[in-house]
Amino acid sequence: MAKKIVIVGGGLSGTIVANGLCRQLREELSSGSVTITMLGTSDKHLYQPGLLYIPFGRIRESELFRDQRKVLDRRVPYFIDPAAHIDVEKKTVATKSGKTYAYDFLVVATGSRIRPDIIPGMEEGAHWFYDLDGARKMRDTLQGFQGGKVVVNVNAPHKCPVAPLEVTFMLRDFFAAKGVLDKTEITYTYPIGRLHALEPVAHWAVPEFEKHGIKSEIFFNTKSVDAGSKTITSEEGVTLPYDLLVTIPPHTGHQVITDSDLGKGGWVPTERNTLLREGSSDVFVVGDTTNIPISKAGSTAHFEADTIIDNLSSLIKEGRWARNYDGKVFCFVETGLNSGTYVWFNYTTPPNPGPPSQMIHWFKLAYNRLYWLSARGLL
Amino acid sequence: MTDKIKVDARGAFCPGPLMEMIAALKHMNVGDEIEIWSSDKGSAKDIPEWVKKVGHELVSNDEREGYWSIVVRKAK
């Protein structure tokens, strides 16, 4: 009997796992002793970090998309048939169309999604760039913006932890280039008592904010937005007026996770080193889907996926565990429209961002293209 | 019926223990408790400060061997 691997989710992490397994299990796939099947939601693969550049006209929409079929190894059947229920006892995945897939090993890569609908008034009153429609609307609004109060509002949890600071600095540069900075006031809000979750990044951001005249409101957890009066109010009791509200909306995991009773909020309880679902020895969880307390970011998904590829192929080929995930995360940080820095850290090494430079910004721009090699499992 | 969840945020540099707790509270009912473990001593100050500011209830704040255990009850 062939060993059946089912991957639920066709985003970055699921795709890297599938492509990596194809290389590691080449002979087994060829002989038919292993099959890999992927269930996804779209025929397009989206480079999500590129959405940050859309509002500023710095990337073309067509650069963000590839056909998923072309990104994914041809040996992996891909069905656009989202999972509707995962049964980890019976080892089956039921799909929206009514099909059922049995598995020997399951990889859950359902990811996260923005939920501006959770906060009253946010959908009506705010702009965001975390999906294409939102990024397009923000681009249109920025084109016509002639100055005023801008609030950049950050909610927890959210993916890509540095994006809020990046968009703040990019907005500042955009307004300066547009000639409306002297008529604009930017206020950045953050849920905890500093400017960023990463303490060294927060310390670095303080003088940068002072230098650029960016105001901040810390301990700000959004309660509601009033699109009529153009105000945003926090659970802590602070109300800010705005002319333009750019929000990083709160995220949840996928509905199928909650519907399958696999984790509150759509996050699957996952062992931080093995990346196995807690209580399972045949269910791996990867990327944003885990409840591991680390950044929900593409690099996290990538490094986790590499670990799962090694372990899953080792279990199948040699019947043994290969290695543990060490919590590695790497993030570029755009510090304006022409400079950038980066941070990396793991479970035991704290982050230590270096001084921004134009070269690192160029590296980030290059990575915007190199991403497709990552998704194919080549980088 | 009230619930108690545990979050092991030891070694969590980003988004960090307080952000993890804020995110977890969103999926809890009033009266439920969360126990968060943090290896960052700043959490022993930051978390109680935020809990007081927002109006939740700090149940306990204990230093253990190399980490802090902080229990919070969702009050609203």
Side-chain angles (χ1 to χ4, degrees), chain A residues 146-318:
Chain A
Q146 294 302 320
K149 290 182 186 299
V150 178
V151 173
V152 180
N153 161 248
V154 187
N155 296 278
H158 69 87
K159 71 175 108 185
C160 199
V162 294
L165 281 175
E166 290 180 303
V167 78
T168 303
F169 292 123
M170 291 167 83
L171 281 166
R172 186 260 167 213
D173 281 7
F174 179 86
F175 295 138
K178 195 176 162 68
V180 298
L181 189 61
D182 58 340
K183 294 183 286 182
T184 301
E185 177 188 280
I186 302 175
T187 303
Y188 169 96
T189 78
Y190 206 69
I192 63 173
R194 56 181 184 244
L195 296 178
H196 193 265
L198 284 166
E199 203 166 0
V201 174
H203 286 157
W204 165 81
V206 170
E208 293 293 319
F209 271 34
E210 286 171 359
K211 187 167 75 185
H212 296 302
I214 299 167
K215 296 184 172 180
S216 62
E217 187 70 42
I218 54 174
F219 283 129
F220 191 102
N221 287 276
T222 313
K223 184 179 184 182
S224 62
V225 175
D226 187 330
S229 64
K230 290 198 164 186
T231 56
I232 179 167
T233 299
S234 73
E235 295 282 358
E236 292 82 355
V238 174
T239 295
L240 298 173
Y242 68 83
D243 296 297
L244 170 62
L245 175 61
V246 176
T247 191
I248 284 53
H251 288 51
T252 67
H254 201 283
Q255 191 65 37
V256 67
I257 302 300
T258 44
D259 289 350
S260 305
D261 205 19
L262 290 179
K264 285 184 178 177
W267 316 121
V268 179
T270 305
E271 204 285 316
R272 61 164 61 190
N273 294 120
T274 63
L275 302 176
L276 286 164
R277 172 186 173 266
E278 288 180 7
S280 292
S281 58
D282 51 12
V283 180
F284 288 89
V285 192
V286 63
D288 291 356
T289 315
T290 80
N291 77 333
I292 302 174
I294 57 175
S295 310
K296 295 194 182 300
S299 71
T300 311
H302 188 154
F303 296 127
E304 288 177 349
D306 284 347
T307 312
I308 290 173
I309 292 163
D310 284 348
N311 287 320
L312 193 39
S313 55
S314 182
L315 285 169
I316 288 171
K317 288 166 85 85
E318 302 171 10

Side-chain angles (χ1 to χ4, degrees), chain A residues 63-114:
Chain A
E63 293 180 68
L64 302 182
F65 294 96
R66 295 280 191 283
D67 289 338
Q68 173 65 2
R69 192 56 272 176
K70 290 183 178 172
V71 179
L72 188 62
D73 191 290
R74 60 183 169 76
R75 289 167 285 187
V76 179
Y78 178 62
F79 299 103
I80 304 169
D81 189 8
H85 190 266
I86 297 168
D87 189 328
V88 294
E89 301 300 326
K90 292 180 180 167
K91 300 187 179 188
T92 56
V93 179
T95 66
K96 206 171 175 181
S97 74
K99 292 193 177 71
T100 299
Y101 294 83
Y103 67 82
D104 295 293
F105 288 103
L106 179 68
V107 179
V108 186
T110 45
S112 62
R113 55 199 172 130
I114 58 168

